[in-house]
Amino acid sequence: MFKKVLIANRGEIALRVIRACRELGIQTVAVYSEADRESLHVRFADDDVCIGPAPARESYLNIPRIIAAAEIAGADAIHPGYGFLAENAEFAEICVASNINFIGPTAQQIRVMGDKAAARNAMQAVKVPIIPGSPGPVEDSEEALKFAREIGFPVIIKAAAGGGGKGMRVSTDPDDFTRSFQLARSEALSAFGSGEVYIEKYLDRPRHIEFQIMGDRHGNIIHLGERDCSVQRRHQKLIEEAPSVALTQDLREKMGDAAVKGAKSIDYVGAGTIEMLLNADKSFYFMEMNTRIQVEHPVTEMLTGVDIVKEQIRVAAGARLSIKPPIERRGHVIECRVNAEDPARNFQPSPGRIDVFHPPGGPGVRLDTHVYAGYTVPPFYDSLLAKLICQGRDRQEALRRMQVALESFIIEGVTTTIPFLARVMANKHFQEGAVDTKFLERESELMREPLNAA
Ligand code: ADP
């Protein structure tokens, strides 16, 4: 087993990884930027190294500084968390070249799945259904328009290197297509350093269903079931739950088999997620694979009792998976992402000092957070404050528990999305489970405080 793990991340996920390491008896090294000196991950790690100024480019994204920190602190492995360098194949390669274990898949696996067009081809080769689209990247707008007409409008133009809900543009008809195509290309180039884009059919009201994958170096690859992440804003997830109310056991098995088949095709090692879109007619398609731990992994942890991060560390050290199907599932789990953002102002970030912090608790309630009273949310990074995860014996109990937990979750000093999340929980369609990726777009009044709320 590893002796000392450096966590190349910050915030709640850095704390999450530190906890897993401590349980495994592994020493930890925190890295932090000048803006994160007062962070809990720095306090809870055995060792810490400042890696530079606040901007991520000069700290959390700076590979030489992170490798140097690992060498100075004597770490034999690096856990990248999510975001930052987690899906950077070059980083994984440099770790290995520096004799430091990368807790994640191989650089080659990251590379194949990180290129969405290449990932589609890999899936198609093993007959996992993919969304109808161009067979690969498209160079010029004329060729692209030809594909778009073939597939039928609306279409979505996606950056091959895209991620985080960025680098996508929907085109509804041939007249706006060329403009959208050019915009998508230049956005992709400036955001991801590659102007490569491809075309996909834009599905009307799909659900986002993803499968948690775990693989080891001994050829075992399994899935831990699905998460339904259909409640999104601008293609970014806000609420996740499991099991999905849209799946029958039969469909779960079909989709799960496809996900495992996809992961097996590249001999995937570690924790990963196969994301799919599910149509109302129950047809489903591979969308992409994330080759890292995901924000919403606690949903599956609570439902199955499996500690995914510990499992991730164990398999990176060469151990076999400690779990085998059938995976037990208990009740229903819902997760809300609590952000320092103002829904009434287009979810504009609201950094600043947290004066009052009172977390919810009780049976079936898990809170993953790095904030505390007196903590200042810096303006430099994403605005996730906490993940609130509630479990119940059934969906109704989980939902009610989430409502009560949100009501007793007090954060003062910064504007948070807690009242917004409470409104979603009280929404009739959400309660009925009648959601898809366009749900929030239709229910736009959820963004505003009701007038009689005062
Ligand atoms: P990212 O890597 O940026 O997260 P994804 O490819 O995972 O991007 O897509 C994110 C979200 O965008 C999906 O959950 C879905 O809501 C929407 N989306 C992506 N592709 C399509 C499509 N072909 N049709 C409809 N919605 C889509």
Side-chain angles (χ1 to χ4, degrees):
M1 186 39 82
F2 305 129
K3 291 201 168 52
K4 204 168 186 182
V5 169
L6 179 144
I7 299 104
N9 217 301
R10 63 181 300 282
E12 67 85 21
I13 194 62
L15 282 181
R16 172 72 190 87
V17 177
I18 290 172
R19 286 192 184 112
C21 290
R22 290 182 76 94
E23 280 186 40
L24 291 167
I26 301 170
Q27 297 256 307
T28 52
V29 186
V31 293
Y32 62 99
S33 74
E34 283 162 14
D36 278 340
R37 261 180 217 290
E38 304 302 322
S39 289
L40 285 186
H41 76 281
V42 180
R43 196 179 306 173
F44 288 150
D46 297 296
D47 256 346
D48 53 77
V49 183
C50 180
I51 49 167
R57 208 171 286 281
E58 295 175 55
S59 49
Y60 299 106
L61 287 172
N62 188 306
I63 297 177
R65 288 190 191 158
I66 291 169
I67 298 289
E71 282 168 350
I72 292 165
D76 53 354
I78 293 184
H79 193 301
Y82 55 68
F84 296 126
L85 296 169
E87 288 174 294
N88 184 314
E90 194 195 342
F91 180 57
E93 238 158 38
I94 293 173
C95 286
V96 173
S98 312
N99 268 322
I100 300 167
N101 291 281
F102 178 78
I103 301 177
T106 64
Q108 182 53 22
Q109 288 162 353
I110 298 175
R111 208 159 264 141
V112 173
M113 290 303 172
D115 179 332
K116 292 187 185 191
R120 278 166 61 83
N121 290 338
M123 292 303 122
Q124 201 174 24
V126 292
K127 301 201 165 58
V128 171
I130 57 170
I131 302 169
S134 58
V138 273
E139 295 292 326
D140 61 273
S141 62
E142 248 168 73
E143 187 200 357
L145 182 58
K146 203 187 90 207
F147 279 123
R149 283 190 200 277
E150 254 171 56
I151 305 159
F153 282 87
V155 297
I156 183 166
I157 308 155
K158 284 192 181 181
K166 300 191 181 74
M168 292 183 283
R169 237 163 216 279
V170 178
S171 167
T172 47
D173 62 77
D175 292 337
D176 75 16
F177 182 81
T178 305
R179 202 181 111 78
S180 298
F181 182 81
Q182 306 294 9
L183 277 172
R185 272 188 75 108
S186 61
E187 277 171 11
L189 190 62
S190 67
F192 308 106
S194 154
E196 226 167 58
V197 298
Y198 66 98
I199 318 282
E200 239 174 48
K201 174 93 189 153
Y202 189 62
L203 305 182
D204 183 28
R205 282 186 177 198
R207 278 182 181 258
H208 174 119
I209 307 281
E210 58 185 34
F211 280 78
Q212 176 67 53
I213 298 290
M214 281 299 320
D216 65 21
R217 293 202 196 130
H218 307 275
N220 303 301
I221 300 184
I222 62 167
H223 76 77
L224 300 180
E226 82 280 7
R227 293 183 288 259
D228 189 324
C229 313
S230 300
V231 180
Q232 304 181 345
R233 175 181 171 267
R234 300 201 177 156
H235 305 138
Q236 291 182 27
K237 302 161 190 167
L238 294 179
I239 297 168
E240 301 95 349
E241 64 177 292
S244 169
V245 300
L247 303 196
T248 57
Q249 188 51 27
D250 184 47
L251 183 55
R252 175 172 298 113
E253 276 168 29
K254 270 200 203 123
M255 294 179 78
D257 287 349
V260 169
K261 192 159 74 171
K264 274 192 175 152
S265 74
I266 58 162
D267 297 321
Y268 192 76
V269 173
T273 303
I274 298 266
E275 297 191 334
M276 303 198 228
L277 290 181
L278 175 67
N279 264 328
D281 68 3
K282 304 297 176 197
S283 55
F284 61 87
Y285 304 96
F286 168 85
M287 185 165 51
E288 66 161 347
M289 179 171 198
N290 288 321
T291 53
R292 55 169 160 83
I293 191 79
Q294 275 187 299
V295 174
E296 61 272 25
H297 75 275
V299 171
T300 304
E301 291 190 325
M302 271 190 114
L303 197 74
T304 63
V306 175
D307 185 322
I308 298 173
V309 178
K310 273 198 327 202
E311 206 60 23
Q312 204 187 8
I313 297 169
R314 290 182 61 262
V315 300
R320 285 175 186 275
L321 285 179
S322 71
I323 35 173
K324 280 211 237 346
I327 306 292
E328 182 198 358
R329 288 184 300 154
R330 285 164 314 195
H332 196 95
V333 179
I334 303 178
E335 172 180 273
C336 283
R337 300 189 188 195
V338 174
N339 293 319
E341 290 172 357
D342 187 352
R345 292 203 172 81
N346 230 346
F347 287 79
Q348 179 183 303
S350 165
R353 185 176 188 275
I354 293 177
D355 302 317
V356 179
F357 183 79
H358 179 80
V365 176
R366 167 174 168 179
L367 186 70
D368 281 22
T369 183
H370 59 293
V371 314
Y372 52 88
Y375 174 73
T376 299
V377 183
F380 309 104
Y381 315 110
D382 74 28
S383 50
L384 183 70
L385 294 177
K387 303 186 305 204
L388 176 58
I389 311 106
C390 292
Q391 180 173 38
R393 282 167 298 180
D394 51 30
R395 187 169 188 266
Q396 207 178 346
E397 190 177 50
L399 210 152
R400 187 65 198 130
R401 209 158 249 171
M402 181 62 83
Q403 288 182 305
V404 173
L406 287 167
E407 279 162 19
S408 58
F409 195 174
I410 300 167
I411 301 180
E412 285 172 14
V414 299
T415 306
T416 78
T417 52
I418 293 173
F420 159 78
L421 293 163
R423 290 194 292 274
V424 177
M425 292 300 127
N427 176 275
K428 181 171 155 282
H429 302 291
F430 181 80
Q431 293 192 343
E432 286 165 356
V435 294
D436 54 68
T437 58
K438 311 276 181 60
F439 162 70
L440 284 183
E441 229 170 274
R442 290 192 300 273
E443 305 285 320
S444 55
E445 79 284 1
L446 287 170
M447 313 297 171
R448 286 183 293 276
E449 206 79 48
L451 286 173
N452 57 1

